[in-house]
């Protein structure tokens, strides 16, 4: 029997085990994270080493620097994750790791270390799609949440409406045609001089502003009721600022931030609710960094309540990149026998649902 076959058999046998411990690694962008999670939902540790300060002076993530920082941090992050979970390596049942999408050099650090660990411990290796991890953060936060539900994914690289019909089964209903929601936050923060990462900075500034001060566009796409486009909104913000600057007039950064944020929220809320209603789905979950935005949560909650829809979202630390969410997704893959071979590679562009068009 091949080594891979042995690991598959091991995974199947694990289903009978009462307590399954997974160590997961996440290194797709600018956070090096390791976590130990029991039975897919009980977080024993979730250590996150952020590189934000390093990248701040460049105004965004520098891929080469990100890879080097992951190499420097990964061993210590794993050591701390095991220490905090109060567990030794020999009790681990599987190793899960993000293998895409993301920065290839950054992903490779997690993937290489995970392979070494899995082989060394002779336990199954589970490659996890980063977005499946973000969705699974909801399973950690809400112990009773099970599919099916509609999920709005709003991260720095993705904006999608997905129907989660079962564990590991995803149907794509909407996606962005251009910029992701988080990307729009980051770009607008940049032109407003609010720094990186933009989302939290825009949110903070927006609390002092009037969301109705400037009327920015809410893009509707013909025949694509659940798709998004944010690049026009970003251009509208830039044009608005340039116009005033050329005339020598001043503007309120807080009003622009609040009006921009409201424009993003309005389309995210409307399309997600419409999709859930069309599917007759009474549960909506949110995932990804932008789901940490308080104003988005408030507006989505208010609108969902009107249609008797229950809203779920993870706590802020589980919204942004972390390894606990990867462990949770890995657990459900493991139960389905979806073990990865040791030839697993980092895949910078990776689709969760298959390409729609
Ligand atoms: O999910 P995530 O941590 O990484 C990716 O997979 O991309 O998301 C990061 C994105 C960034 O664009 C960041 O600006 C945005 O999430 N973000 C926010 C907030 N916190 C993070 N956007 C709006 N409001 C926030 N509070
Ligand atoms: Zn992410």
């Amino acid at each position: 029997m091949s080594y891979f076959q042995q690991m598959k058999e091991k995974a199947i046998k694990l289903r009978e085990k009462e307590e399954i411990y997974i160590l997961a690694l996440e290194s797709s962008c600018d956070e090096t994270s390791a976590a130990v999670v029991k039975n897919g939902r009980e977080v024993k540790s979730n250590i996150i080493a952020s590189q934000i300060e390093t990248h701040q002076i460049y105004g965004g993530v520098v891929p080469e620097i990100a890879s080097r920082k992951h190499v420097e941090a990964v061993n210590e992050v794993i050591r701390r994750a095991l220490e905090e979970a109060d567990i030794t390596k020999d009790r681990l049942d599987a190793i899960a790791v993000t293998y895409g999408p993301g920065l290839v050099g950054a992903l490779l650090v997690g993937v290489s270390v995970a392979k070494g660990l899995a082989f060394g411990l002779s336990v199954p290796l589970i490659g996890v799609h980063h977005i499946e991890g973000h969705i699974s953060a909801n399973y950690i936060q809400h112990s009773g949440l099970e599919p099916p539900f509609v999920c709005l994914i709003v991260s720095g690289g993705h904006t999608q409406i997905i129907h989660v019909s079962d564990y590991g089964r995803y149907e794509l209903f909407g996606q962005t045609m251009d910029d992701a929601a988080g990307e729009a936050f980051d770009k607008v923060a940049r032109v407003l001089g609010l720094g990186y990462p933009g989302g939290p900075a825009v949110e903070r500034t927006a609390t002092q502003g009037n969301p109705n001060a400037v009327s920015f566009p809410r893009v509707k796409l013909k025949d694509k009721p659940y798709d998004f486009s944010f690049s026009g909104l970003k251009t509208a913000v830039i044009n608005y600022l340039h116009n005033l600057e050329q005339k020598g007039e001043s503007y309120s950064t807080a009003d622009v931030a609040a009006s921009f944020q409201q424009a993003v929220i309005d389309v995210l809320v409307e399309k997600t609710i419409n999709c859930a209603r069309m599917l007759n789905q009474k549960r909506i979950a949110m995932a990804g960094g932008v789901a940490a935005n308080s104003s988005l949560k408030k507006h989505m909650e208010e609108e969902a309540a009107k249609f008797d829809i229950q809203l779920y979202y993870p706590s802020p630390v589980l919204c942004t990149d972390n390894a606990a969410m990867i462990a949770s997704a890995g657990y459900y893959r493991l139960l389905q026998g979806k073990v990865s071979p040791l030839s697993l590679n980092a895949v910078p562009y990776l689709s969760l649902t298959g390409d729609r068009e």
Side-chain angles (χ1 to χ4, degrees), residues 229-243:
S229 168
F230 292 113
S231 81
L233 170 59
K234 174 193 66 192
T235 310
V237 174
I238 293 170
N239 288 345
Y240 175 80
L241 299 177
H242 280 178
N243 244 321

Side-chain angles (χ1 to χ4, degrees), residues 130-139 141-142 145 149-162 164 170 180-182 268 272 284-293 296-297 300 311-316 318-322 325 352:
H130 183 72
I131 297 302
E132 184 164 39
H134 274 301
I135 295 169
S136 306
N138 283 288
Y139 299 138
Q141 191 74 43
H142 308 284
L145 178 66
F149 54 89
V150 165
C151 190
L152 171 68
I153 293 129
V154 268
S155 71
H158 290 76
T159 302
Q160 294 180 326
I161 301 176
I162 283 179
V164 183
Y170 307 101
L268 292 177
T272 309
I284 290 176
M286 298 203 292
V290 186
N293 187 287
L296 170 62
K297 291 188 274 196
M300 190 70 88
L311 180 67
Y312 300 86
Y313 48 80
S315 64
L318 290 172
C319 281
T320 46
D321 291 349
N322 68 89
M325 68 185 196
L352 183 61

